[in-house]
Amino acid sequence: MAINQALPFFSDYKLLKVILNRTIKNAIDYRKGSSLDFCKILITTDSEGALLSIEDNGQGVSDKVKENIFDMFVKGTNKSKGAGLGLYLVKIGCDKIKGKVRLESNQHSGATLIFRLPNLEQTSA
């Protein structure tokens, strides 16, 4: 994990937790099972917010599925044991904080989810 924090980043803790948990869980669940498996996380902040990149070298997503991967009940692979809600929930969480997410992937070559999340107002605790 690498964090380049030029400026503080403020967001919705609960939604950010859902986004990160689901994304990292996918990287773990769909790894190839070799000693070379990885999940790289890069976080960079600036005046607009944060750029998050979560990259793995797992199974990847086919072009056929990629265009709908953030839809409800869409599974990235037929080996999925879930209901196809993981990345749907990631997208919903990202939308709620007015962020953007995109997937870069090739089947059998891993995947990278790239998030652009705006800086939300800092609130007093």
Side-chain angles (χ1 to χ4, degrees):
M1 177 186 288
I3 300 175
N4 303 316
Q5 186 173 6
L7 295 168
F9 174 66
F10 301 98
S11 192
D12 182 306
Y13 171 78
K14 290 179 183 177
L15 289 175
L16 194 55
K17 184 176 174 183
V18 167
I19 290 167
L20 291 171
N21 282 342
R22 295 284 179 165
T23 304
I24 294 168
K25 182 179 182 330
N26 270 8
I28 293 168
D29 287 349
Y30 300 109
R31 63 186 185 267
K32 293 180 181 174
S34 84
S35 62
L36 302 176
D37 289 343
F38 67 79
C39 178
K40 295 179 185 176
I41 302 169
L42 175 62
I43 303 170
T44 303
T45 65
D46 59 26
S47 61
E48 294 179 20
L51 181 67
L52 281 71
S53 172
I54 302 174
E55 175 188 3
D56 67 63
N57 64 338
Q59 297 176 13
V61 179
S62 72
D63 287 339
K64 179 181 173 184
V65 175
K66 197 176 353 182
E67 65 188 54
N68 299 315
I69 198 67
F70 296 108
D71 293 347
M72 189 182 303
F73 306 125
V74 173
K75 297 179 181 187
T77 174
N78 59 4
K79 296 177 184 177
S80 174
K81 296 179 181 125
L85 294 174
L87 291 180
Y88 171 74
L89 293 173
V90 165
K91 176 75 166 110
I92 294 297
C94 195
D95 288 349
K96 283 194 176 278
I97 56 177
K98 300 190 180 354
K100 305 263 189 232
V101 59
R102 77 177 194 276
L103 170 71
E104 295 178 355
S105 181
N106 292 308
Q107 193 168 14
H108 310 298
S109 300
T112 304
L113 281 164
I114 301 166
F115 299 88
R116 183 65 183 156
L117 304 175
N119 223 346
L120 301 179
E121 293 295 317
Q122 181 180 6
T123 58
S124 306

